[in-house]
Amino acid sequence: MCTPAGQLMREIKNMTLSGDKELDDQIRKWVRWDKCPSTSCQIMDAVRAKDWDTLRKRLCNRITFGTAGLRATMRAGFDSMNELVVIQTAQGLCEYIKEQYPNREDWTERGVVFGYDGRYNSHRFAELSAIVFLNNDFKVWLYKRYVPTPMVPYAIVRLQCLAGVMVTASHNPKEDNGYKVYWSNGAQIIPPHDEGIQEAIMNNLEPSASSTDDSVMCANSMLEDPYDIVVPPYFDALKKSLNCTMFESNNKCGLSFTYTAMHGVGYEFVKMAFAKVNLKPFNSVCEQQEPDPEFPTTPTPNPEEGKTSLDLAIKTAKAKCSQIILANDPDADRLAVAEVGDDGNYKLFTGNEVGALLGWWALELYKIRNPGGDLSNVVMIGSTVSSKILRSMAEEEGFQYIETLTGFKWMGNKAIEQQAAGKTVLFAFEEAIGYMFGTAVPDKDGVSAAAHLATMACYLRCQLCMTLQEKLRDIYESYGFSTTIASYVICRCPPLIEQIFERLRTWDEGKADTYPTSIMDGEYEIENVCDLTTGYDSSTSDKKATLPTSSSSQMITFTFKNGAVITLRTSGTEPKMKYYAEMRAKPEVKNWTKLSNTLNTMVEAAVEEFYEPKKNGLQRKKD
């Protein structure tokens, strides 16, 4: 049993600590502020063991807002996810919202919404956040059950909330958790909100005395579960996004689907989605059907990893003779897709390939509803590291294609901006298996994407006698072939990552803004370079990038003279240095195999020459 907090404080007072004033101050603050027995004991055990190095790492470094919030390992320390850090974050977020919305009626009437997934501590972190806001006279919408991430942004839009938080670490390992923040428009926060919230957190670090008092949640009229108000309209909106003539064919189509929730929260919601649009029930991967924070059958619960994470789904699909596999990640905002081929093996589509298919589908739905309609006011959106197949489609069809920085925080906000300007936003996607239809949920949504994908598959099979693979080939025939590669190397040393990228931007004997000019000893020449870390772009007249830049993350794009584009960037949530590549061709170019082989050769060379995996001890992705 852990020692009571008061006794720990007395013990600290009588101990000789490290002698490092900054560290000792942080130790005392932690012991004084942290009311969670398990994490307070972690710190005290380290103090008793005089493990000053660990304590310095945990307490003298602070987790900061990254990709729309926080994500880290769950353990004691200001650099990690735990109850104290969540309370501090909620206090800062609360004060920032007060600053942005000083009218108290907004707090009490519009309020904020909190959701959580099935990970360890997710429910507790959401409850602690709710307590902070209730103590500040906010209306709080707190889901009383697990929900997919899309239910938070949808609730914000539906209930006109001031902000929302989803407690999730998405597809990260079981040790991690996160705190994903959405603003009043329903999209993930972007600058300046992230910097403003971070500053407010730092100004409100000391927990309120009532921050862990659960009694405020008892019989409180300011606390309400939004589920019954939000979830039925969500599925009504999904149904309206499809053409009613498709519901009959959905039910009659003989396609069989296998679905896995990856031990996450998606099963019940995708089941409801299938029923809502009249699809036959899918076959569930039973071992992965219910939320389980241990992720016992898949330690890396990320369907983006490929067949290694979908092994059980493939076995189930084969046993059930399912033609198509659908997989959500644990918080059900992403979707992976596979289809059986003539050889009996399942082709796992890349995120770019599914983006091409669903982009075509979004356009097809629009054309069915608006025969002969003008497409000039229609918009589709993609991230800068995703395939430009939608751009090729736009050039041929006449709609607008908009490119943003990586991540749905940029695409969601751009979609809302375009909608406000009178545009019709059909679809947005990123290569990391994220898809958004319309703006009902201004974020990626794996539940609606699953229903759309399945309906599209039935439509193709029953109306056009085509498989998904055949339709993808048809898209390439019509708009031009696109071959893409997306992968990563693992690097757990931030200074090394900075050193690797700094080498690339000081290539010519250390001179600034000098980059590689070719790979493979000049065989493939680089035409221009865009560095969104520094803002340098060799292709513009003033050498300045047109997209927003960020010095806190690494991202360099190389465009080659043969048309290949290779982007290197760091991940905002994982210890990965990613790389993305694409080569596109005009519709009349049919030598697709040669293009793919060329890109494979170029990517392998670029990774070896630019990242230097062996020299730097980097771990390659396992196939």
Side-chain angles (χ1 to χ4, degrees):
M1 184 177 291
C2 202
T3 311
Q7 189 172 330
L8 289 178
M9 281 303 301
R10 289 192 293 274
E11 184 178 349
I12 283 286
K13 285 181 181 178
N14 296 323
M15 290 180 70
T16 301
L17 299 181
S18 70
D20 179 332
K21 185 178 185 306
E22 180 190 9
L23 174 57
D24 293 349
D25 286 346
Q26 293 299 92
I27 291 171
R28 291 188 179 96
K29 282 181 180 178
W30 186 274
V31 173
R32 188 169 74 251
W33 290 348
D34 184 21
K35 306 304 180 187
C36 175
S38 64
T39 48
S40 62
C41 283
Q42 286 177 37
I43 295 301
M44 282 305 301
D45 287 346
V47 171
R48 294 179 186 117
K50 300 186 184 300
D51 189 355
W52 310 125
D53 287 342
T54 295
L55 287 165
R56 191 171 286 106
K57 290 175 185 175
R58 300 273 194 92
L59 299 178
C60 295
N61 296 294
R62 180 162 195 93
I63 186 173
T64 57
F65 264 67
T67 304
L70 310 175
R71 195 177 296 182
T73 302
M74 289 180 282
R75 63 185 184 187
F78 294 121
D79 70 335
S80 307
M81 286 296 295
N82 49 67
E83 291 189 8
L84 175 55
V85 165
V86 165
I87 290 169
Q88 293 174 323
T89 302
Q91 289 183 165
L93 177 60
C94 184
E95 291 304 315
Y96 183 75
I97 293 173
K98 286 181 177 180
E99 292 171 12
Q100 298 299 308
Y101 293 95
N103 186 346
R104 185 175 290 270
E105 287 185 4
D106 286 329
W107 313 350
T108 58
E109 294 178 10
R110 296 176 63 183
V112 294
V113 61
F114 294 98
Y116 55 92
D117 66 8
R119 286 178 177 269
Y120 288 118
N121 296 314
S122 286
H123 189 191
R124 179 60 176 162
F125 291 166
E127 284 189 335
L128 288 169
S129 301
I131 291 169
V132 168
F133 277 84
L134 288 169
N135 285 331
N136 281 271
D137 300 323
F138 273 75
K139 171 75 176 182
V140 171
W141 301 92
L142 172 65
Y143 283 104
K144 291 185 178 179
R145 67 200 85 184
Y146 306 132
V147 292
T149 289
M151 294 303 129
V152 169
Y154 184 77
I156 293 172
V157 175
R158 180 80 182 174
L159 302 172
Q160 297 185 303
C161 296
L162 300 177
V165 174
M166 179 67 187
V167 182
T168 180
S170 189
H171 54 270
N172 280 39
K174 67 178 183 180
E175 295 82 10
D176 293 357
N177 215 325
Y179 203 80
K180 199 171 197 176
V181 181
Y182 295 82
W183 200 239
S184 54
N185 61 0
Q188 298 176 43
I189 57 169
I190 56 173
H193 294 311
D194 50 358
E195 293 100 331
I197 294 168
Q198 177 67 24
E199 183 179 354
I201 293 169
M202 297 306 295
N203 291 334
N204 294 276
L205 290 177
E206 184 165 357
S208 164
S210 58
S211 60
T212 57
D213 185 359
D214 295 358
S215 66
V216 72
M217 301 180 68
C218 298
N220 192 331
S221 62
M222 296 293 283
L223 177 64
E224 193 169 349
D225 180 359
Y227 187 94
D228 291 337
I229 304 172
V230 168
V231 173
Y234 168 86
F235 287 111
D236 289 341
L238 171 60
K239 185 174 182 178
K240 289 178 183 176
S241 70
L242 292 164
N243 190 289
C244 60
T245 58
M246 294 167 183
F247 301 144
E248 185 177 353
S249 61
N250 272 356
N251 186 253
K252 289 182 177 179
C253 185
L255 277 179
S256 171
F257 297 90
T258 286
Y259 169 79
T260 177
M262 286 273 181
H263 299 295
V265 299
Y267 170 75
E268 291 292 344
F269 287 82
V270 175
K271 181 180 176 182
M272 287 189 281
F274 264 52
K276 193 69 178 181
V277 300
N278 215 29
L279 286 159
K280 293 176 181 177
F282 52 73
N283 301 300
S284 176
V285 180
C286 297
E287 301 93 329
Q288 300 175 337
Q289 181 173 301
E290 299 302 323
D292 187 339
E294 277 295 311
F295 302 109
T297 67
T298 172
T300 304
N302 184 1
E304 192 184 356
E305 290 292 330
K307 292 183 178 178
T308 53
S309 64
L310 293 175
D311 181 55
L312 268 176
I314 293 171
K315 288 178 180 176
T316 302
K318 286 182 176 179
K320 299 291 186 179
C321 298
S322 289
Q323 293 90 349
I324 294 174
I325 297 170
L326 304 174
N328 284 144
D329 60 346
D331 67 325
D333 64 349
R334 301 185 188 206
L335 177 75
V337 182
E339 182 184 54
V340 71
D342 293 336
D343 59 0
N345 294 317
Y346 285 83
K347 171 187 166 50
L348 179 62
F349 293 93
T350 67
N352 284 322
E353 290 171 334
V354 176
L357 286 164
L358 290 178
W360 169 84
W361 176 240
L363 185 62
E364 182 77 358
L365 288 174
Y366 184 83
K367 287 179 176 180
I368 291 171
R369 289 195 206 96
N370 306 276
D374 181 14
L375 292 174
S376 62
N377 209 42
V378 167
V379 172
M380 293 200 208
I381 302 171
S383 71
T384 186
V385 297
S386 300
S387 169
K388 304 305 181 290
I389 186 67
L390 295 187
R391 176 183 289 167
S392 299
M393 202 179 291
E395 290 168 356
E396 182 70 24
E397 298 286 350
F399 63 84
Q400 299 176 50
Y401 172 76
I402 297 174
E403 186 175 307
T404 73
L405 290 178
T406 308
F408 262 89
K409 66 178 182 179
W410 300 106
M411 286 186 281
N413 279 283
K414 179 60 70 174
I416 293 166
E417 174 191 303
Q418 290 295 303
Q419 184 183 48
K423 307 293 185 183
T424 299
V425 180
L426 294 187
F427 179 68
F429 93 99
E430 64 180 0
E431 57 75 36
I433 62 174
Y435 315 100
M436 180 185 93
F437 281 87
T439 54
V441 176
D443 195 17
K444 56 184 178 290
D445 181 354
V447 177
S448 66
H452 272 285
L453 193 289
T455 301
M456 175 181 66
C458 290
Y459 176 82
L460 289 171
R461 189 66 61 98
C462 298
Q463 302 294 326
L464 305 179
C465 298
M466 298 178 81
T467 64
L468 295 174
Q469 293 170 75
E470 288 168 341
K471 183 60 203 178
L472 183 63
R473 184 175 184 87
D474 180 64
I475 290 170
Y476 291 154
E477 293 280 1
S478 301
Y479 305 111
F481 178 67
S482 169
T483 179
T484 63
I485 295 171
S487 193
Y488 60 82
V489 294
I490 294 175
C491 182
R492 302 183 188 278
C493 178
L496 177 58
I497 292 174
E498 188 171 337
Q499 178 183 322
I500 288 169
F501 277 89
E502 194 58 26
R503 169 177 168 264
L504 293 174
R505 57 176 63 99
T506 56
W507 193 260
D508 186 4
E509 298 181 350
K511 289 172 57 179
D513 296 336
T514 59
Y515 297 81
T517 57
S518 68
I519 56 174
M520 296 179 67
D521 294 324
E523 184 171 348
Y524 296 104
E525 294 183 42
I526 295 169
E527 189 168 46
N528 56 64
V529 178
C530 178
D531 188 338
L532 290 181
T533 302
T534 66
Y536 174 81
D537 189 339
S538 65
S539 69
T540 61
S541 57
D542 60 0
K543 306 301 179 187
K544 293 181 179 179
T546 55
L547 285 172
T549 61
S550 173
S551 60
S552 64
S553 60
Q554 302 286 350
M555 182 169 176
I556 304 176
T557 297
F558 300 92
T559 301
F560 290 78
K561 289 185 177 180
N562 68 350
V565 179
I566 300 176
T567 296
L568 312 180
R569 67 178 282 265
T570 48
S571 169
T573 57
E574 299 169 286
K576 294 176 179 177
M577 295 195 298
K578 298 187 174 185
Y579 52 93
Y580 312 81
E582 181 175 28
M583 185 175 283
R584 289 190 299 153
K586 296 292 184 182
E588 59 269 19
V589 176
K590 302 302 180 186
N591 195 347
W592 298 355
T593 300
K594 182 180 178 181
L595 288 171
S596 296
N597 290 340
T598 297
L599 188 67
N600 286 333
T601 299
M602 293 179 67
V603 168
E604 185 59 30
V607 171
E608 287 296 327
E609 294 178 29
F610 296 165
Y611 279 160
E612 300 182 299
K614 291 180 182 178
K615 174 184 174 182
N616 291 316
L618 308 178
Q619 181 182 336
R620 301 291 290 261
K621 176 186 176 182
K622 295 179 182 178
D623 293 328

